[in-house]
């Protein structure tokens, strides 16, 4: 319920509601360790940024800038919601084409209101919370010359030092307008020395850190793939050059959106740094008719004075408690075995029954049937040239449908437990093969642009989820699969980017449609464990995390490479949301051999742990190790799901990477330590533990007696590594 606390124009009264206060037209948003200040400039009625950083109590004068000369007017101001065409030469947050062809906007402050809690965003994923978690400030602006109104929304989550922003543009005129650019988060920071950290990569190579200075001009990256993509993630951090993992200032920005995006900083001649995160202008040009409203996706920013680690833990806690809506977000996830790397397309009821039996015999609780189960002759999904779109079981493999087959799987008892095996299945609903009944019946449902050839990737096309009939088809088709059998888990894959779009706005409309489908299916089937996937980590973003509690992190399951990928992913996303599996060696992508313990220790750092191999190919030693790994999982998984995560050393710059969780109740810490290559010299540096109580004492599986938190954090511990590649250790610390 929305309670209107106050509507005020520019009257000079002061008002405070929890973490938001309005003094006249000075606005202050306060977190436990963060302040965000801006005000209305009385002469222009523009919004000017004052501060985003550590706690402050007062508004201070802006920097003195030489006025006059060529760069005059608004380009010298620090603006909150920059528009275009009136003396500001920098990139705008909002860029509108009007019916007469001009692109000038002049948004002027009108009023504000403060709401307890946070309204939902129509049709889009967003953070949420009640009045004790979050407060929202709405600022209303109006462009008198074009009859366009804007409502900016600022929601502050004080416990996480986080601000969530979005805006709406309403066309109050009688002609059409077009949104050419929309940056959900925009702020002008002072002339600070800053570095930008982002995550770049590709398929099987996701989430590699890149750090570059925020120089004069633009420092930017984007996705034009239609999706958030492997190549760049819609996340970046700004930090001072001296910021480390555990100290210094860091600002993290993340777009709650799965489509194309753009992230930009622009340093102008005065040194002020404009920050913009929102839609990619190449996939915008969104028409807004008279009386209609455009809603931007949401962007979240967090401030940390405790380095990148503090920033990450704020994101992790915010996302687990106030973004991801699933029943499973704060629950342990069953260990699973996925059929893909073991069987590929070589599936039929007997090969699957055998694999399910092997799964149960190993003590694994969930069996996942990957690709290859659907489609009918002539479009049977027996290879990747056919079948996507036809979501009915292949009668050659499942003559009696999925129900009886899943019944057989469910009848198996998991070794060393009283539980029955559970069943999960793979789907890729947003895609279609031209070799399918669906495509033959509805060729117009695939994304296409006029008569341009429809470019195939992996023999498939992308359905236009902006079309209501496509959304309805997918809701019905996937609901029918779920209703036909006892399905406990669904892996929702998506294996290519978008090519020919009918118009640039089709990407935004696709996302609204995709979110409608995901909202419907997760709402109808809340007890299914949903996992996002896009050729690995191609859509590891907060938009998907709103609906699905976990995402497949990368198709690269080489544990040595996974350390880099998982550490990168953890900058913004909680390890509890990562899906990570032990696969066979030599690894299918890198040909690297590592022990099953090393592979398991890397994968156990994730919320969803599993195996992706054919059990009959396990060696005797590997098979013998599995009960111990499952026992470790039993103790570790609850701590990964709700504990705090610390990166102790990165594989990019240490031969001895390590990471650590502290349990939510602070009594247990589990440290994952690795040695990548055998070395004679130098000695490994001491491993300094983080997040402990300095005055408490800790016992461990590593040493006799106890050590103080201070000792463990400041002197650290020395681990006795063998002279061998790819070693790993689990170190438990128990507070006395
Ligand atoms: C707003 O802040 C400015 C300083 O930037 C101060 O001069 C002014 O008095 C404040 N207005 C109110 C109503 O608090
Ligand atoms: C708000 O939500 C928190 C959990 O996030 C809960 O503990 C609290 O009782 C809720 N408060 C109200 C007023 O609903
Ligand atoms: C916009 O126009 C209205 C009347 O149409 C007027 O009251 C208001 O002052 C104008 N605002 C600005 C910023 O010019
Ligand atoms: C613009 O239109 C919206 C939606 O119809 C309406 O709520 C708002 O009051 C209008 N604003 C102005 C200034 O006319
Ligand atoms: C706005 O655009 C729509 C779709 O292109 C068109 O049908 C409509 O006539 C336009 N309206 C105006 C007022 O120009
Ligand atoms: C899952 O959440 C739904 C509401 O979204 C609730 O009705 C259902 O009982 C929950 N299931 C479990 C197992 O918690
Ligand atoms: C089932 O698949 C396995 C593995 O591909 C194969 O060996 C077997 O002949 C198949 N059985 C049937 C009945 O098709
Ligand atoms: C691939 O699948 C199609 C459609 O089921 C089938 O016609 C074709 O023979 C298959 N190709 C191979 C090499 O198996
Ligand atoms: C359709 O399937 C046939 C048989 O596998 C294959 O040769 C052809 O390339 C496929 N067509 C497309 C567009 O993938
Ligand atoms: C999902 O869509 C179907 C079909 O439109 C509808 O009947 C059902 O109520 C929807 N469920 C949810 C949870 O939105
Ligand atoms: C604290 O959490 C750990 C790890 O989940 C658990 O083993 C332990 O029982 C908990 N202690 C208390 C007092 O709840
Ligand atoms: C830290 O440990 C000491 C000694 O065990 C204890 O007195 C204190 O309450 C602990 N502090 C916190 C914040 O848990």
């Amino acid at each position: 319920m929305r309670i209107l606390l106050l509507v005020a124009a520019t009257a000079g009264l002061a008002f405070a509601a929890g973490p938001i206060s309005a003094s006249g037209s000075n606005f202050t948003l306060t977190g436990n360790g963060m302040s965000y200040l801006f005000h209305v400039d009385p002469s222009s009625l523009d919004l000017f940024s004052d501060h985003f950083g550590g706690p402050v109590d007062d508004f201070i004068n802006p920097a003195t800038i030489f006025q006059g000369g060529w760069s005059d007017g608004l380009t010298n101001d620090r603006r909150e919601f920059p528009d275009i065409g009136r003396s500001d030469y920098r990139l705008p947050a909002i860029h509108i084409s009007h019916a007469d062809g001009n692109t000038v906007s002049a948004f002027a402050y009108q009023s504000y209101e403060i709401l307890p809690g946070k309204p939902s965003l129509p049709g889009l994923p967003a953070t949420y919370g009640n009045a004790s978690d979050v407060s929202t400030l709405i600022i209303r602006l109006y462009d008198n010359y074009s009859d366009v109104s804007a409502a900016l929304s600022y929601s502050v989550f004080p416990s996480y030092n986080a601000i969530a922003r979005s805006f709406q543009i309403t066309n109050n005129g009688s002609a059409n307008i077009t949104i050419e650019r929309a940056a959900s988060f925009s702020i002008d920071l002072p002339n600070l020395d800053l570095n930008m950290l982002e995550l770049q990569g590709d398929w099987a190579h996701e989430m590699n850190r890149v750090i570059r200075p925020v120089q004069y001009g633009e420092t930017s990256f984007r996705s034009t793939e239609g999706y958030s993509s492997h190549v760049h993630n819609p996340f970046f951090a700004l930090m001072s050059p001296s910021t480390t993992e555990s100290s210094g200032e860091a600002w993290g920005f993340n777009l709650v959106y799965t489509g194309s995006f753009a992230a930009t900083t622009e340093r102008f001649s005065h040194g002020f740094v404009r920050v913009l995160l929102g839609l990619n202008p190449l996939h915008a040009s969104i028409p807004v008719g008279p009386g209609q409203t455009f809603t931007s996706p949401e962007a979240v920013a967090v401030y940390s004075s405790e380095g990148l680690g503090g920033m990450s833990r704020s994101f992790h806690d915010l996302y687990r408690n106030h973004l991801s809506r699933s029943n499973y977000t704060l629950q342990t996830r069953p260990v699973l075995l996925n059929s893909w790397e073991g069987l590929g397309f070589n599936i039929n009821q007997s090969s699957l029954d055998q694999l399910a039996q092997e799964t149960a015999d190993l003590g694994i609780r969930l069996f996942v049937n990957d690709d290859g189960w659907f489609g009918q002759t002539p479009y049977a999904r027996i290879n990747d040239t056919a079948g996507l779109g036809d979501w009915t079981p292949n009668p050659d493999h499942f003559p009696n449908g999925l129900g009886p087959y899943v019944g057989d799987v469910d009848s198996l008892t998991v070794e060393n437990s009283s539980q029955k095996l559970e069943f999960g299945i793979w789907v890729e609903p947003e895609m279609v093969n031209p070799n399918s009944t669906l495509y033959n019946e509805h060729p117009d449902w695939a994304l296409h642009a006029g008569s341009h050839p429809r470019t195939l990737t992996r023999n498939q096309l992308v359905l236009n989820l902006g079309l209501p009939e496509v959304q309805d088809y997918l809701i019905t088709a996937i609901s029918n699969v779920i209703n036909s059998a006892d399905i406990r888990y669904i892996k929702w894959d998506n294996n290519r980017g978008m090519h020919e779009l009918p118009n640039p706005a089709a990407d935004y409309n696709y996302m609204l449609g995709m979110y409608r489908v995901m909202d419907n299916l997760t709402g109808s089937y809340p007890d299914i464990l949903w996992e996002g996937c896009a050729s690995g980590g191609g859509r590891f973003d907060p938009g998907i995390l709103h609906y699905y509690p976990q995402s497949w992190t990368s198709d690269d399951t080489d544990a040595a490479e996974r350390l880099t990928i998982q550490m990168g992913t953890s900058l913004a996303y909680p390890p509890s949301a990562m899906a990570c599996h032990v696969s066979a060696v030599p690894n299918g992508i890198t040909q690297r051999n590592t022990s099953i313990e090393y592979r398991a220790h890397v994968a156990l750092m994730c919320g969803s742990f599993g195996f992706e191999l054919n059990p009959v190919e396990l060696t005797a030693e590997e098979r013998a190790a599995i009960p111990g790994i499952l026992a470790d999982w039993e103790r570790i998984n609850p701590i990964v799901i709700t504990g705090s995560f610390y990166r102790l050393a990165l594989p990019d710059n240490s031969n001895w990477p390590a990471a650590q969780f502290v349990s939510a109740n602070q009594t247990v810490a589990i440290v994952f330590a690795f040695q990548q290559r055998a070395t004679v010299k130098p000695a490994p540096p001491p491993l300094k533990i983080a997040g402990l109580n300095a005055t408490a004492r800790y016992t461990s599986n590593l040493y006799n007696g106890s050590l103080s938190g201070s000792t463990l954090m400041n002197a650290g511990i020395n681990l006795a590594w063998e002279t061998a590649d790819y070693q790993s250790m689990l170190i438990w610390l128990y507070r006395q």
Side-chain angles (χ1 to χ4, degrees), residues 291-302:
Q292 290 182 342
T293 295
F294 160 81
T295 303
S296 83
E298 174 167 296
V300 175
V302 307

Side-chain angles (χ1 to χ4, degrees), residues 284 447 464 466 498 501-511:
L447 284 174
N464 184 354
M498 299 182 194
L501 294 182
N503 52 66
D507 183 38
Y508 175 80
N509 289 326
Y510 179 110
M511 289 304 144

Side-chain angles (χ1 to χ4, degrees), residues 8 16 45 151-152 182 262 322 381 533 537 561 573 597 673 693 726:
L45 297 185
L152 314 189
H322 300 288
R381 183 74 172 172
C533 179
E561 302 239 308
Y573 308 104
E597 288 83 6
N693 177 333
Y726 306 117

Side-chain angles (χ1 to χ4, degrees), residues 426-495:
W426 176 96
V427 293
E428 192 181 0
E430 297 157 70
M431 297 289 156
V432 65
N433 285 117
N435 280 333
S436 67
T437 306
L438 184 72
Y439 189 78
N440 279 278
E441 289 177 359
H442 300 287
D444 285 349
W445 285 9
L447 284 174
H448 64 285
S451 60
H452 286 281
R454 304 175 181 199
T455 310
L456 290 169
T457 297
R458 204 189 184 224
N459 310 308
Q460 65 200 52
L461 297 169
V462 182
L463 291 172
N464 184 354
L465 269 72
L467 300 174
E469 55 272 33
V470 173
Q471 299 159 21
D472 291 340
Y473 168 76
L474 292 182
I475 288 170
T476 304
I478 302 304
S479 295
N480 288 344
V481 173
I482 296 170
N483 295 338
S484 74
D486 183 13
I487 292 171
R488 302 295 182 88
Y489 159 103
I490 292 183
K491 179 175 176 184
W492 182 289
D493 207 345
N494 195 67
N495 285 318

